[in-house]
Amino acid sequence: MSLNLTDDGIEAELNRAINRTDFFRVFRMLADRYGFLSFTVFELTGMKVEPRLDRICLLADLPNGRSSLCEIVPEESQALLDELASLRRPAFLPAPPKALAPFMACRRAVMIPMTAQTGERLVLVLADDLETRPEADVAGAVFDFLQALQKLAVAEGLDADTPRFRKREIEVVEWTAEGKTSSEIALLLGLSEYTVNEYIGSAMRKLEALNRIHLVTKAIRVGIIS
Amino acid sequence: MGDTVDGQQKLIDVLLIDDDPTEYEIIQYKLKKVDSHNVAVDFVCTLDAGLEKLAERNYDIILIDNMLPPHNDFRQTVPLIRRARYIGPVGIISSDISSNYFQSFGEFGADFRMSKQEVDARSLRYIFNEFTRDNSVPFDEDV
């Protein structure tokens, strides 16, 4: 399937997208195309490990990024988590979710859930300020955003029951097993400390590990490293 | 607002390496619209000058033009930055990021790529939020 519109290069960018910054760029292009003010993507998988909004947020087009989400009071966070978890189809909300309202600065919100092959779910929250939207426009937006979410799920390793590990993830886990810190691994592999931590974080999510030691133990147990 | 220390916005130090001084002016102009962060940009025109800067002090983020003569592209420049023991985020900016070799930016030590047309206040805000946040992973404490 291809995107609803292909003449503005978004589909090509989506097909090229590798990491979260690439997906930020694609979601932004789509948001601009359909006139949404901003967007946030949550990964409900992470709730098994850490039910914190900032930890389950994959992409944040918010004034203070994911850090904004730490400012939300626990009751409102839980209400949003419950709302995200119960969503089964796109929802057009007359007002943004209470927890996100201070950061979204919009009159309405659209929430689009996507279930990956593994059953894990992503939910996109869009800030909407338009008075009305033509039905065809709404359908096109949902269609395009769903495809982008599916690609994001693949990039995040949520497309297979047995998680696939990228070469770099395995290398980083191997060095972690040798007792190296993130900064030491970054120097060894010629990467940034940020990216090393992202690899460790994604490996932890895939193995549902709680910390580095747990990650190494599980990685050995399932044969990712020896 | 951005991360704060004692109520003050944390200063984000950016090193921009671009052979076109106009890009520095453009970035400075766009940064004026980023009200979520306090950002200081150092600008150099060559990779060698950038490596000298790195020897003097640390930067939170490096933004580097893809084509920096006499080097061909980021596949030559970013590994040299990493060899200089810089472990902060490096982003490649270029007029055109559609060439196939851009798909391998991670293998050469870069963290992200962005076309120059995409670099605006909203993208810069995202970059500063994302790449200056603490994404460290716990060793053995409870999470």
Side-chain angles (χ1 to χ4, degrees):
Chain A
M1 284 203 297
S2 60
L3 283 167
N4 201 30
L5 293 170
T6 57
D7 58 357
D8 52 9
I10 302 179
E11 186 176 27
E13 286 299 332
L14 179 58
N15 289 332
R16 282 195 287 264
I18 294 172
N19 68 358
R20 288 186 191 171
T21 303
D22 285 341
F23 279 96
F24 171 86
R25 294 171 45 236
V26 170
F27 276 87
R28 184 186 164 176
M29 289 176 198
L30 286 172
D32 288 349
R33 175 199 282 177
Y34 289 106
F36 292 104
L37 297 178
S38 64
F39 57 88
T40 312
V41 179
F42 294 97
E43 176 196 2
L44 301 192
T45 319
M47 290 170 69
K48 289 177 190 168
V49 176
E50 182 59 66
R52 269 176 46 182
L53 285 174
D54 59 316
R55 294 279 175 88
I56 67 165
C57 180
L58 290 186
L59 298 175
D61 182 24
L62 299 170
N64 195 18
R66 303 183 205 192
S67 305
S68 306
L69 304 173
C70 298
E71 298 165 17
I72 301 172
V73 296
E75 303 79 48
E76 288 183 5
S77 288
Q78 192 56 54
L80 179 61
L81 287 171
D82 293 343
E83 193 172 359
L84 295 173
S86 64
L87 202 65
R88 290 291 174 268
R89 64 177 72 89
F92 297 81
L93 310 177
K98 194 174 176 186
L100 296 178
F103 315 109
M104 291 175 72
C106 61
R107 282 179 284 186
R108 282 174 293 282
V110 179
M111 295 169 92
I112 302 176
M114 195 282 302
T115 304
Q117 286 179 16
T118 52
E120 312 293 0
R121 300 173 69 230
L122 301 181
V123 180
L124 167 69
V125 183
L126 293 158
D128 191 10
D129 232 12
L130 292 186
E131 281 294 341
T132 57
R133 285 183 178 277
E135 276 185 32
D137 193 47
V138 171
V142 171
F143 181 82
D144 286 352
F145 276 116
L146 275 173
Q147 288 192 72
L149 285 169
Q150 280 165 356
K151 293 267 188 184
L152 177 59
V154 172
E156 293 289 326
L158 303 176
D159 60 327
D161 283 330
T162 307
R164 287 194 300 267
F165 287 82
R166 291 170 284 188
K167 179 172 160 268
R168 282 294 200 194
E169 278 174 342
I170 294 169
E171 283 177 331
V172 166
V173 175
E174 281 173 338
W175 281 115
T176 302
E178 293 295 319
K180 300 292 184 188
T181 63
S182 293
S183 56
E184 289 168 339
I185 297 170
L187 285 171
L188 284 163
L189 299 181
L191 302 171
S192 71
E193 188 176 7
Y194 169 92
T195 292
V196 169
N197 285 335
E198 284 298 294
Y199 282 136
I200 295 173
S202 63
M204 282 173 60
R205 280 197 306 279
K206 288 174 184 177
L207 290 174
E208 294 181 20
L210 298 173
N211 53 47
R212 292 180 199 236
I213 292 172
H214 196 200
L215 169 68
V216 169
T217 308
K218 281 195 151 187
I220 293 170
R221 197 183 300 154
V222 300
I224 293 161
I225 61 171
S226 53
Chain B
M1 304 298 275
D3 288 343
T4 58
V5 177
D6 297 333
Q8 299 291 309
Q9 276 184 291
K10 192 178 79 176
L11 181 68
I12 296 174
D13 285 313
V14 178
L15 177 61
L16 173 65
I17 310 176
D18 197 314
D19 61 337
D20 181 1
T22 312
E23 291 300 329
Y24 175 57
E25 287 184 40
I26 293 171
I27 286 266
Q28 287 283 36
Y29 174 75
K30 289 173 177 173
L31 281 171
K32 285 180 186 165
K33 298 178 180 176
V34 182
D35 55 4
S36 55
H37 297 83
N38 188 12
V39 183
V41 182
D42 267 356
F43 171 72
V44 290
C45 289
T46 65
L47 179 67
D48 285 347
L51 294 175
E52 281 176 25
K53 284 272 187 189
L54 283 178
E56 293 165 10
R57 53 172 298 196
N58 196 24
Y59 288 91
D60 295 304
I61 294 179
I62 293 177
L63 299 176
I64 184 167
D65 186 19
N66 183 40
M67 298 291 189
L68 273 179
H71 308 281
N72 285 337
D73 54 54
F74 73 85
R75 292 174 293 181
Q76 292 182 348
T77 55
V78 177
L80 291 173
I81 291 172
R82 294 300 180 205
R83 223 168 286 163
R85 302 180 69 81
Y86 177 74
I87 57 169
V90 176
I92 308 156
I93 51 172
S94 177
S95 303
D96 181 9
I97 56 171
S98 63
S99 299
N100 277 342
Y101 69 85
F102 271 97
Q103 291 305 97
S104 61
F105 69 89
E107 292 168 33
F108 291 88
D111 295 272
F112 63 92
R113 55 179 161 184
M114 197 165 277
S115 74
K116 288 183 176 177
Q117 297 89 319
E118 288 176 302
V119 177
D120 62 6
R122 195 165 151 199
S123 296
L124 289 168
R125 189 183 72 186
Y126 167 80
I127 288 168
F128 298 145
N129 277 330
E130 184 62 27
F131 290 98
T132 62
R133 74 186 168 93
D134 178 8
N135 71 336
S136 58
V137 181
F139 277 88
D140 57 359
E141 68 267 36
D142 291 335
V143 289

